[in-house]
Amino acid sequence: MPVPIPRQRGIPAVESGQAQPASSGTGPSREESPRTEGPAGNTGTGNTGTTPTSATATATTNLTLLVIEDDPGGSTIVPELLDSAGKPIRVRTARNLTEAERLLTDDVHCILLDLALPAPGRAGDDDELAVLKHVLQLAPRHAVLALTASGDAERGADAVRVGAQDYLFRDELDGRLLSRAIRYAVERKRSDTAERRLAEGRLRAQENRRLERGLLPTPLLEGSPLRFAARYRPGRSRALLGGDFYDTVRTPDGTVHAMIGDVCGHGPDEAALGVELRIAWRALTLAGLCGDELLGTLQQVLEHERSDDEIFATLCTVDISPDGRRAGLCLAGHPSPLLARPGRPVQLLPYDNNGPALGLLPGARWPRMQVELGAEWSLMLYTDGLIEGRVGEGGERLGQDGMMEMVRRLLAEGLRGEALLRAAVNEARDLNGGELTDDVAVLLLDRAV
């Protein structure tokens, strides 16, 4: 039965920083010995006369080198190698790329490539670095040393430009030089890999910021005397995105419309659905829809866009009259807003006619309730992440009563706007004993006289 051919699958040793034991047979292996041998077992330069078994090499070797060289005579070009700790560097040899691919397992740290080796399928190709480019495609995460003829520095420099970590002259090799070059190449590859990952992380951060701008919109309140503030904090299992969303716009008749919602779940699909619902709400509101008609249309959007029939979204919408004294309220399975007025207790707006969450009941209705606000007030819309945090070490949660008491106290301390929301979210987190597990979105509208 043919021996299974190992393939490069996991993270190579050059990235992990550790050499994983390679599979071996029951006896010594020429390809895994800490020195190289010719096809008949003749030892190469620097032979000490003792050949450790592959099991011994696996136990004591920190670095593994794969040599790919065109050596029809069978004499090796690699002297005895030692790592920085004085341990032998294990050497595997391959005389063509097919054999190299078989030996390129995940514990290989570095490849020493003879640039004179012909690349497969490259007959008549004038590209002197064709074989190097093929190896770089075959092993993109491994360190590569290019081996070229003495004095051919230009070809060696071109090899580094293409992607090799360094180049060496064939006739100038010795154990000390090659050992140092291997260590240098491995460390440089690790550094290049870390830099690449950092660059990828920066790109992901930029993409996240673009997504955040869609999730956290700029309010359209030009011409309104109302003051706006908002606070958004993702749960601890998400870096930036969550299923909470909100928006505020002023229509040409002077009415200020605000909404806040929460898609069940916390992943990118839920965040994307929240953005879609927010954009749909803004478009429908600017088109003149409100109340039951608007929520019914949003439910259709959710039903068409959700990835699972069990996904739903809660929503709270308010429309504040141009004089700022009255508001219409619609609740779709969402907590009722908090209303604070000078000289009066902090209270929740009525929630007796709370309709179902969007996406739960086909043909559902959402009654619009008329609410008197008065001349001076603060209206706070929030998601349930704010009130579901725990209080202390027990199972008790903050709840709406705890939230109202907290906001009352913060208002008595003179906090308003952004400072009020920041303090409320931070206190809820502190009471929870750490980061809140659910996303939190809070929106505040103030009218002062």
Side-chain angles (χ1 to χ4, degrees):
M1 179 181 293
V3 177
I5 298 176
R7 297 290 183 183
Q8 180 182 6
R9 286 293 182 265
I11 298 177
V14 67
E15 290 194 29
S16 67
Q18 298 177 351
Q20 301 298 327
S23 300
S24 62
T26 56
S29 168
R30 176 188 65 82
E31 293 166 346
E32 295 188 358
S33 119
R35 56 186 175 82
T36 58
E37 300 177 2
N42 297 327
T43 60
T45 306
N47 177 27
T48 63
T50 303
T51 303
T53 64
S54 58
T56 302
T58 299
T60 61
T61 299
N62 286 333
L63 294 175
T64 300
L65 174 70
L66 174 61
V67 180
I68 312 174
E69 47 123 350
D70 188 12
D71 186 18
S75 60
T76 184
I77 60 171
V78 180
E80 184 178 2
L81 303 174
L82 300 176
D83 64 15
S84 58
K87 297 180 180 179
I89 295 177
R90 181 170 55 190
V91 178
R92 300 176 183 175
T93 59
R95 296 189 178 91
N96 54 61
L97 294 179
T98 301
E99 186 177 353
E101 185 174 1
R102 179 176 67 85
L103 297 176
L104 189 61
T105 50
D106 296 332
D107 60 334
V108 171
H109 291 80
C110 185
I111 299 170
L112 178 62
L113 173 67
D114 185 356
L115 295 181
L117 193 73
R122 296 279 185 173
D125 196 336
D126 294 333
D127 188 355
E128 294 183 342
L129 299 177
V131 65
L132 173 61
K133 294 175 181 177
H134 183 85
V135 168
L136 291 174
Q137 291 178 354
L138 182 67
R141 297 183 295 178
H142 286 77
V144 177
L145 288 170
L147 190 65
T148 187
S150 296
D152 195 358
E154 183 176 354
R155 190 178 186 186
D158 288 341
V160 173
R161 176 180 54 80
V162 168
Q165 273 59 60
D166 203 352
Y167 68 92
L168 300 169
F169 295 136
R170 183 180 293 104
D171 296 339
E172 298 180 6
L173 281 182
D174 60 47
R176 183 178 179 183
L177 171 64
L178 183 53
S179 297
R180 185 171 64 247
I182 292 170
R183 296 195 300 270
Y184 168 78
V186 169
E187 292 305 320
R188 182 174 178 182
K189 186 64 178 181
R190 287 174 180 165
S191 176
D192 292 343
T193 299
E195 185 175 349
R196 172 178 53 82
R197 288 175 174 172
L198 180 61
E200 291 173 351
R202 288 170 179 165
L203 288 176
R204 285 194 297 269
Q206 292 174 2
E207 293 173 356
N208 283 342
R209 283 194 291 270
R210 286 194 292 270
L211 288 172
E212 185 184 37
R213 285 196 293 270
L215 185 67
L216 307 178
T218 301
L220 300 180
L221 288 176
E222 184 177 357
S224 172
L226 301 183
R227 295 176 299 185
F228 169 87
R231 186 79 173 168
Y232 176 78
R233 191 185 193 99
R236 64 185 175 196
S237 60
R238 276 81 53 202
L240 200 58
L241 301 176
D244 292 3
F245 57 98
Y246 63 84
D247 203 354
T248 306
V249 299
R250 180 177 183 267
T251 49
D253 65 355
T255 302
V256 171
H257 303 260
M259 72 90 169
I260 196 165
D262 184 1
V263 177
C264 68
H266 309 288
D269 290 340
E270 289 77 14
L273 181 56
V275 172
E276 290 180 284
L277 292 175
R278 180 192 65 75
I279 294 174
W281 176 86
R282 176 176 283 200
L284 294 170
T285 299
L286 293 176
L289 275 67
C290 68
D292 185 72
E293 186 179 11
L294 186 150
L295 291 177
T297 308
L298 284 179
Q299 174 158 277
Q300 294 180 37
V301 173
L302 182 146
E303 291 171 346
H304 285 292
E305 297 297 330
R306 63 186 176 184
S307 58
D308 189 294
D309 289 342
E310 296 184 358
I311 291 179
F312 62 90
T314 65
L315 197 71
C316 167
T317 69
V318 295
D319 54 277
I320 301 169
S321 62
D323 65 7
R325 291 178 172 272
R326 293 172 301 279
L329 171 66
C330 286
L331 296 174
H334 200 87
S336 184
L338 179 150
L339 177 64
R341 292 175 287 190
R344 298 190 184 184
V346 173
Q347 67 179 87
L348 298 176
L349 293 185
Y351 52 88
D352 295 339
N353 291 327
N354 196 339
L358 303 181
L360 290 183
L361 299 177
R365 305 299 299 271
W366 296 271
R368 178 178 178 274
M369 297 169 282
Q370 188 74 19
V371 179
E372 294 294 328
L373 299 177
E376 186 175 357
W377 46 264
S378 295
L379 187 64
M380 190 176 87
L381 286 63
Y382 53 94
T383 57
D384 57 8
L386 180 66
I387 59 177
E388 290 186 349
R390 299 184 182 278
V391 180
E393 298 180 357
E396 183 182 357
R397 299 189 181 272
L398 177 63
Q400 289 178 303
D401 290 340
M403 177 194 64
M404 287 192 294
E405 174 58 27
M406 177 177 66
V407 171
R408 182 201 63 76
R409 177 169 39 79
L410 295 175
L411 287 170
E413 294 174 3
L415 297 180
R416 299 291 185 275
E418 292 276 1
L420 172 64
L421 298 186
R422 182 169 55 253
V425 173
N426 288 342
E427 183 169 332
R429 180 196 60 189
D430 293 341
L431 290 172
N432 189 60
E435 289 295 340
L436 299 164
T437 57
D438 199 3
D439 308 314
V440 176
V442 192
L443 184 157
L444 185 67
L445 291 171
D446 290 305
R447 184 177 189 270
V449 293

